[in-house]
Amino acid sequence: MNLFLGLVSDTAASAIWAMVVASLLPLTMALTAKMLGGFNLADNAHPREFLQGTTGAAARANAAQQNSYETLPVFLAAVLAAMLFFVPQMIVNTLAWLYVLIRIGFCVAYITNLAMFRSILWGLSIACCLMLFYLSIRISM
Protein backbone atom coordinates (compact mmCIF):
# COMPACT_ATOMS: atom_id res chain seq x y z
CA MET A 1 0.00 0.00 0.00
CA ASN A 2 1.36 3.41 -0.88
CA LEU A 3 1.53 6.61 1.08
CA PHE A 4 -1.84 7.87 -0.17
CA LEU A 5 -3.83 4.77 0.81
CA GLY A 6 -4.28 3.56 -2.74
CA LEU A 7 -5.37 6.92 -4.16
CA VAL A 8 -2.34 7.21 -6.44
CA SER A 9 -2.32 4.85 -9.41
CA ASP A 10 0.75 3.01 -10.62
CA THR A 11 0.63 4.40 -14.16
CA ALA A 12 2.83 7.10 -15.65
CA ALA A 13 -0.31 9.19 -16.17
CA SER A 14 -0.43 9.83 -12.43
CA ALA A 15 3.03 11.47 -12.44
CA ILE A 16 2.10 13.45 -15.54
CA TRP A 17 -1.05 14.71 -13.82
CA ALA A 18 1.04 15.72 -10.80
CA MET A 19 3.26 17.72 -13.16
CA VAL A 20 0.17 19.39 -14.67
CA VAL A 21 -1.20 20.31 -11.23
CA ALA A 22 2.19 21.63 -10.10
CA SER A 23 2.42 23.67 -13.31
CA LEU A 24 -0.98 25.25 -12.61
CA LEU A 25 -0.11 26.16 -9.01
CA PRO A 26 1.67 29.44 -9.93
CA LEU A 27 -1.36 30.52 -11.97
CA THR A 28 -3.63 29.70 -9.04
CA MET A 29 -1.45 31.81 -6.74
CA ALA A 30 -1.46 34.70 -9.25
CA LEU A 31 -5.26 34.62 -9.36
CA THR A 32 -5.39 34.42 -5.57
CA ALA A 33 -3.05 37.42 -5.24
CA LYS A 34 -5.18 39.43 -7.65
CA MET A 35 -8.40 38.49 -5.87
CA LEU A 36 -6.98 39.34 -2.43
CA GLY A 37 -5.54 42.61 -3.75
CA GLY A 38 -8.77 43.85 -5.31
CA PHE A 39 -7.66 43.48 -8.93
CA ASN A 40 -10.06 44.91 -11.50
CA LEU A 41 -10.17 45.15 -15.30
CA ALA A 42 -8.36 48.49 -15.35
CA ASP A 43 -5.40 46.85 -13.55
CA ASN A 44 -5.05 44.38 -16.42
CA ALA A 45 -3.10 46.98 -18.42
CA HIS A 46 -0.19 46.57 -15.96
CA PRO A 47 -0.80 43.44 -13.86
CA ARG A 48 2.80 43.12 -12.64
CA GLU A 49 2.76 46.72 -11.45
CA PHE A 50 -0.50 46.01 -9.63
CA LEU A 51 0.93 42.90 -7.94
CA GLN A 52 4.11 44.73 -6.90
CA GLY A 53 1.96 47.31 -5.15
CA THR A 54 -0.02 44.80 -3.09
CA THR A 55 0.48 44.27 0.64
CA GLY A 56 -0.44 41.66 3.23
CA ALA A 57 -1.97 38.39 2.07
CA ALA A 58 -2.08 39.52 -1.56
CA ALA A 59 1.65 40.27 -1.57
CA ARG A 60 2.35 36.93 0.10
CA ALA A 61 0.21 35.11 -2.51
CA ASN A 62 2.24 36.84 -5.20
CA ALA A 63 5.45 35.74 -3.48
CA ALA A 64 4.07 32.18 -3.35
CA GLN A 65 3.42 32.45 -7.09
CA GLN A 66 7.00 33.51 -7.73
CA ASN A 67 8.41 30.76 -5.54
CA SER A 68 6.21 28.22 -7.28
CA TYR A 69 7.70 29.26 -10.63
CA GLU A 70 11.22 29.05 -9.16
CA THR A 71 10.89 25.47 -7.90
CA LEU A 72 8.81 24.11 -10.78
CA PRO A 73 11.72 23.36 -13.18
CA VAL A 74 13.50 21.34 -10.49
CA PHE A 75 10.37 19.29 -9.86
CA LEU A 76 9.65 18.69 -13.54
CA ALA A 77 13.25 17.65 -14.20
CA ALA A 78 13.26 15.33 -11.18
CA VAL A 79 10.08 13.54 -12.25
CA LEU A 80 11.24 13.21 -15.85
CA ALA A 81 14.68 11.93 -14.78
CA ALA A 82 13.08 9.37 -12.48
CA MET A 83 10.81 8.16 -15.27
CA LEU A 84 13.68 8.13 -17.78
CA PHE A 85 15.79 5.91 -15.52
CA PHE A 86 12.89 3.61 -14.65
CA VAL A 87 12.51 4.39 -10.97
CA PRO A 88 9.51 2.24 -9.96
CA GLN A 89 6.45 4.18 -11.11
CA MET A 90 4.64 3.93 -7.78
CA ILE A 91 7.60 5.62 -6.06
CA VAL A 92 7.71 8.35 -8.72
CA ASN A 93 3.96 8.91 -8.43
CA THR A 94 4.00 8.98 -4.65
CA LEU A 95 6.87 11.48 -4.46
CA ALA A 96 5.35 13.59 -7.24
CA TRP A 97 1.96 13.86 -5.54
CA LEU A 98 3.61 14.36 -2.16
CA TYR A 99 5.49 17.29 -3.68
CA VAL A 100 2.21 18.74 -5.01
CA LEU A 101 0.44 18.40 -1.66
CA ILE A 102 3.38 19.91 0.21
CA ARG A 103 3.52 22.80 -2.26
CA ILE A 104 -0.19 23.47 -1.77
CA GLY A 105 0.44 23.53 1.99
CA PHE A 106 3.41 25.82 1.36
CA CYS A 107 1.21 28.28 -0.52
CA VAL A 108 -1.43 28.26 2.21
CA ALA A 109 1.27 28.76 4.87
CA TYR A 110 2.75 31.63 2.84
CA ILE A 111 -0.58 33.42 2.42
CA THR A 112 -1.49 32.99 6.10
CA ASN A 113 1.98 34.21 7.17
CA LEU A 114 3.17 31.03 8.89
CA ALA A 115 6.83 31.70 8.05
CA MET A 116 8.55 28.85 9.92
CA PHE A 117 6.00 26.25 8.78
CA ARG A 118 6.32 27.58 5.23
CA SER A 119 10.10 27.14 5.35
CA ILE A 120 9.75 23.57 6.62
CA LEU A 121 7.32 22.77 3.80
CA TRP A 122 9.68 24.31 1.26
CA GLY A 123 12.47 22.04 2.50
CA LEU A 124 10.21 18.98 2.35
CA SER A 125 9.13 19.78 -1.21
CA ILE A 126 12.75 20.10 -2.32
CA ALA A 127 13.52 16.83 -0.50
CA CYS A 128 10.93 15.10 -2.75
CA CYS A 129 12.78 16.38 -5.81
CA LEU A 130 16.18 15.42 -4.41
CA MET A 131 14.90 11.93 -3.61
CA LEU A 132 13.72 11.50 -7.20
CA PHE A 133 17.14 12.60 -8.46
CA TYR A 134 18.89 10.34 -5.96
CA LEU A 135 16.85 7.31 -7.01
CA SER A 136 17.53 8.11 -10.66
CA ILE A 137 21.27 8.21 -9.98
CA ARG A 138 21.19 4.97 -7.99
CA ILE A 139 19.34 3.12 -10.73
CA SER A 140 21.58 4.49 -13.49
CA MET A 141 24.77 3.20 -11.83
Side-chain angles (χ1 to χ4, degrees), residues 60-76:
R60 291 189 300 274
N62 186 43
Q65 172 204 186
Q66 293 170 350
N67 187 270
S68 294
Y69 275 125
E70 292 164 0
T71 62
L72 184 60
V74 176
F75 170 68
L76 296 175

Side-chain angles (χ1 to χ4, degrees), residues 32-110:
T32 302
K34 289 176 180 180
M35 183 187 71
L36 292 171
F39 188 85
N40 60 51
L41 241 46
D43 297 316
N44 204 40
H46 301 285
R48 291 181 186 206
E49 219 173 83
F50 169 82
L51 288 171
Q52 288 174 346
T54 60
T55 59
R60 291 189 300 274
N62 186 43
Q65 172 204 186
Q66 293 170 350
N67 187 270
S68 294
Y69 275 125
E70 292 164 0
T71 62
L72 184 60
V74 176
F75 170 68
L76 296 175
V79 172
L80 291 174
M83 292 171 74
L84 177 68
F85 288 103
F86 301 105
V87 172
Q89 195 63 52
M90 186 54 79
I91 293 172
V92 175
N93 295 352
T94 300
L95 287 169
W97 280 107
L98 186 58
Y99 170 89
V100 169
L101 291 175
I102 291 169
R103 289 301 300 183
I104 291 169
F106 169 89
C107 291
V108 170
Y110 214 139

Side-chain angles (χ1 to χ4, degrees), residues 104-139:
I104 291 169
F106 169 89
C107 291
V108 170
Y110 214 139
I111 293 168
T112 57
N113 206 20
L114 300 172
M116 182 58 73
F117 186 54
R118 178 192 81 216
S119 296
I120 291 167
L121 291 174
W122 181 89
L124 291 172
S125 70
I126 293 301
C128 290
C129 298
L130 294 176
M131 181 57 76
L132 287 167
F133 281 128
Y134 171 76
L135 293 170
S136 300
I137 291 166
R138 292 289 300 184
I139 287 176

